């Protein structure tokens, strides 16, 4: 930077891995490292392994930092680690992002690379980790402690064998959902698109995750009066509301949505959508996974359980929303002014608006479905999900396969109607987008599929008409075995 004469503490190459578009956490880490005299070479998002490693060599980096949010990114990080080993690199590898963990880093990534591979929990730890890895007096002890902890995590992972039941047994256990009542019928069927004014979305914002993105732990609004974090939280909130007011007033973002209701029935662990009233012509098919853990409750749930079998006139909803149109232009303006703080703030606010739009649209969908017409919930009750029904998203615990978004996006014509596209790893672009399914059954609930066995993987591959290896790739974090 012009005019500065102090010596850099070293260059750190950072990137969000190939197929992933999320970078708020990475950008905050970059700012923190820059403020501590490190030179950050930020390669951006969706960066292939070769580009990351070539940059590390070209810039003489002291460390490589990888970030990712969606589960396929975990596999890409394993690939990058393997490439670093193949190239005989000696740089420390730093791993971060919402889906990453100490355990996954120890079990899957570190064994692929013989040099220090460290999971960095958040931005506040990044400086300490990099400093410890570089310090002559601290490096050896830090590397040894990190390796010892990872060995303990691997040993614990190998010792912990979750008892799974067969797929047949899991299906026999089911979620125990009753389908005795006549399902609610939507007022209309098909797909519609919406443009929603930003000022209508703002009241639906859940601010707690916003503070978490900036590593302030606590619940809104209590965090504003927190003894240790209150002052920082209040300042952040004031800045956020000022920028949000400007975005709303000047219409700097465009909020777009597509959603629909469809005739639906369960067929085994699939949910079939019908194109005709006779329910004979298949419009789309969502393949669901089922819990196989041998739990005390004995139940093994699948999202398919919340939809009635043929013979009953049941329905399924679907949606895709984005508040990200216009975000890149505003971020570019702030970056041109070297205003990293407001560039990150812009993305964080766009994320909140997208989630708020999903909340607003779900409320509308419940009313149009009939069962939500008498709903009278406060915004706090909406955020606390006090309503009937759920809206699970592909890639999350109840349906961990991101590739099901392909079916969803085709069904909703999400690209043309809402301007949302999918990367090769099924991340959504713009990043401030949310998509999923609407279930209306009164007993519908969120759950985690958890580890699945080979018999389900093979069955799932048959149902999706893809190779077992492809399923294993997309569901790598959910497998109870090493392929």
């Amino acid at each position: 930077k012009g005019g500065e004469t102090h010596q850099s503490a070293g260059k750190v190459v950072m990137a969000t891995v190939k197929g992933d578009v999320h970078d708020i956490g990475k950008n905050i880490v970059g700012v923190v490292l820059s403020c501590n005299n490190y030179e950050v070479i930020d390669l951006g998002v969706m960066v292939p392994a070769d580009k990351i490693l070539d940059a590390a060599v070209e810039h003489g980096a002291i460390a490589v930092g990888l970030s990712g949010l969606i589960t396929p990114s975990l596999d890409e990080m394993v690939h990058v680690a393997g490439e670093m080993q193949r190239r005989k690199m000696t740089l420390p590898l730093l791993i971060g992002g919402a889906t990453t963990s100490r355990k996954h880093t120890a079990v899957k990534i570190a064994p692929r690379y013989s040099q220090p591979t460290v999971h960095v929990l958040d931005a506040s730890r990044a400086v300490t980790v990099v400093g410890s890895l570089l310090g002559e007096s601290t490096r050896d002890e830090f590397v040894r402690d990190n390796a010892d902890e990872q060995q303990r995590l691997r040993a614990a992972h190998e010792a912990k064998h979750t008892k799974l039941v067969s797929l047949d047994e899991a299906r026999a256990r089911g979620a125990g959902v009753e389908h005795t009542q006549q399902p609610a019928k939507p007022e209309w069927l098909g797909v519609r698109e919406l443009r929603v004014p930003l000022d209508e979305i703002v009241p639906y914002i859940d601010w707690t995750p916003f503070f978490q993105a900036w590593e302030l732990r606590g619940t809104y609004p209590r965090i504003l009066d927190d003894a240790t974090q209150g002052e920082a939280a209040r300042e952040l909130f004031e800045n956020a509301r000022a920028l949000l007011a400007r975005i709303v007033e000047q219409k700097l973002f465009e909020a777009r949505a597509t959603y629909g209701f469809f005739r639906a029935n369960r067929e085994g662990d699939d949910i079939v959508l019908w194109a005709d009233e006779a329910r004979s012509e298949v419009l789309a098919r969502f393949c669901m996974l089922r819990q196989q853990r041998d739990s005390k409750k004995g139940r093994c749930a699948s999202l398919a359980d919340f939809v009635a079998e043929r013979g009953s006139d049941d329905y399924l909803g679907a949606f895709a929303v984005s508040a990200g149109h216009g975000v890149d232009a505003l971020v570019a303006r702030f970056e041109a002014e070297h205003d990293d703080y407001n560039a990150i703030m812009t993305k964080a606010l766009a994320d909140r608006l997208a989630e708020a739009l999903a909340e607003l649209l779900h409320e509308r969908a419940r009313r149009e479905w009939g069962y939500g017409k008498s709903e009278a919930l406060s915004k706090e009750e909406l955020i606390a999900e006090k309503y009937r029904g759920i809206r699970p998203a592909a890639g999350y615990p109840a349906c961990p396969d991101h590739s099901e978004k392909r079916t969803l996006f085709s069904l909703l014509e999400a690209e043309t109607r809402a301007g949302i596209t999918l990367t090769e790893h099924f991340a959504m672009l713009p990043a401030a987008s949310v998509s999923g399914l609407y279930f209306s059954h009164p007993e519908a609930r969120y759950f985690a599929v958890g580890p699945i066995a080979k018999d389900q993987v093979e069955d799932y591959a048959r149902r999706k008409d893809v190779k077992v290896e492809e399923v294993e790739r997309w569901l790598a974090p959910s497998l109870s075995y090493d392929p």
Side-chain angles (χ1 to χ4, degrees), residues 81-82 84-85 89-93 109-117:
M84 292 179 79
Q85 182 70 18
M89 296 179 80
T90 57
L91 300 178
L93 176 60
I109 304 177
R112 299 292 298 272
Y113 184 47
S114 57
Q115 300 299 322
T117 304

Side-chain angles (χ1 to χ4, degrees), residues 258-269:
T258 174
Y259 73 121
F261 302 111
F262 310 91
R263 298 177 187 90
N265 290 112
R266 173 188 167 188
E267 205 173 80
D269 287 347

Side-chain angles (χ1 to χ4, degrees), residues 8-12 30 32-40 62 127 130-132 134:
S8 161
K11 296 177 181 176
V12 179
V32 171
L33 287 172
S34 297
C35 290
N36 283 271
N37 209 23
Y38 293 98
E39 191 178 334
V40 176
I62 54 165
V127 174
V130 176
S132 299
L134 294 181

Side-chain angles (χ1 to χ4, degrees), residues 6-326:
H6 64 257
Q7 197 173 353
S8 161
K11 296 177 181 176
V12 179
V13 166
M14 294 175 60
T16 297
V17 295
K18 178 180 163 184
D20 203 331
V21 298
H22 300 91
D23 63 354
I24 294 174
K26 169 182 69 68
N27 295 350
I28 291 174
V29 170
V31 170
V32 171
L33 287 172
S34 297
C35 290
N36 283 271
N37 209 23
Y38 293 98
E39 191 178 334
V40 176
I41 315 295
D42 189 341
L43 302 178
V45 300
M46 294 202 291
V47 189
D50 284 349
K51 185 175 177 183
I52 297 169
L53 305 187
D54 289 348
V57 173
E58 179 194 336
H59 291 284
I62 54 165
V64 170
L66 305 181
S67 180
L69 182 73
I70 57 173
T71 46
S73 298
L74 299 174
D75 214 30
E76 183 63 22
M77 291 175 182
V78 173
H79 170 65
V80 176
E83 284 298 289
M84 292 179 79
Q85 182 70 18
R86 189 180 65 78
R87 290 188 181 206
K88 298 183 171 59
M89 296 179 80
T90 57
L91 300 178
L93 176 60
L94 311 178
I95 302 293
T99 54
T100 64
S101 66
R102 285 162 54 242
K103 180 181 170 185
H104 183 269
T105 303
V107 173
K108 298 287 188 182
I109 304 177
R112 299 292 298 272
Y113 184 47
S114 57
Q115 300 299 322
T117 304
V118 186
H119 180 251
V120 183
L121 184 63
D122 55 39
S124 62
R125 294 274 303 127
V127 174
T128 311
V129 167
V130 176
S132 299
L133 283 166
L134 294 181
E136 283 183 27
S137 60
T138 53
R139 179 185 161 89
D140 291 349
E141 185 182 357
F142 180 85
V143 169
R144 189 169 58 247
D145 288 349
N146 183 59
D148 288 348
E149 188 206 29
Q150 290 183 340
Q151 187 53 46
R152 277 196 304 277
L153 288 167
R154 283 192 288 271
H157 173 71
E158 283 163 23
K160 185 187 171 191
H161 285 295
T162 304
K163 191 181 175 201
L164 303 183
V165 299
S166 71
L167 181 57
D168 287 343
E169 170 71 11
R171 283 175 173 157
R173 293 184 181 194
V177 178
E178 294 286 342
H179 289 282
T180 51
Q181 290 181 321
Q182 181 66 21
K185 183 178 180 180
E187 292 172 0
W188 55 273
L189 296 175
V191 180
R192 291 181 179 176
E193 62 189 83
L194 290 174
R195 301 284 190 277
V196 186
L198 296 176
D199 58 350
E200 288 181 24
I201 303 169
V202 170
Y204 290 81
I205 290 178
D206 177 5
W207 285 101
T208 298
F210 171 81
F211 290 104
Q212 289 168 349
W214 292 89
E215 295 176 13
L216 292 170
R217 310 289 179 212
T219 308
Y220 173 82
R222 285 199 302 274
I223 192 168
L224 300 177
D225 299 314
D226 185 85
T228 53
Q229 302 179 110
E231 190 179 341
R234 286 191 299 274
E235 184 185 349
L236 180 69
F237 192 45
E238 195 176 310
N239 294 337
R241 286 198 298 183
L243 179 56
L244 182 60
R246 179 179 156 196
I247 289 166
V248 172
E249 191 180 320
Q250 297 178 19
K251 297 183 172 64
L252 297 178
F253 297 170
E254 184 187 30
R256 299 174 64 180
T258 174
Y259 73 121
F261 302 111
F262 310 91
R263 298 177 187 90
N265 290 112
R266 173 188 167 188
E267 205 173 80
D269 287 347
D270 292 349
I271 299 172
V272 179
L273 307 191
W274 305 106
D276 60 331
E277 201 166 341
R279 296 178 183 244
S280 58
E281 186 188 336
V282 175
L283 175 66
R285 179 183 295 268
F286 289 102
C287 299
M288 296 301 174
L289 291 159
R290 182 170 295 282
Q291 292 173 320
Q292 285 188 273
R293 197 193 300 269
D294 191 8
S295 67
K296 288 174 186 167
K297 289 181 180 173
R299 294 294 183 191
C300 293
S302 167
L303 285 173
D305 295 344
F306 302 129
V307 179
E309 293 184 338
R310 285 181 79 169
S312 179
D313 293 341
D314 210 349
Y315 302 88
L316 189 77
F319 73 96
V321 305
S322 181
H325 302 289

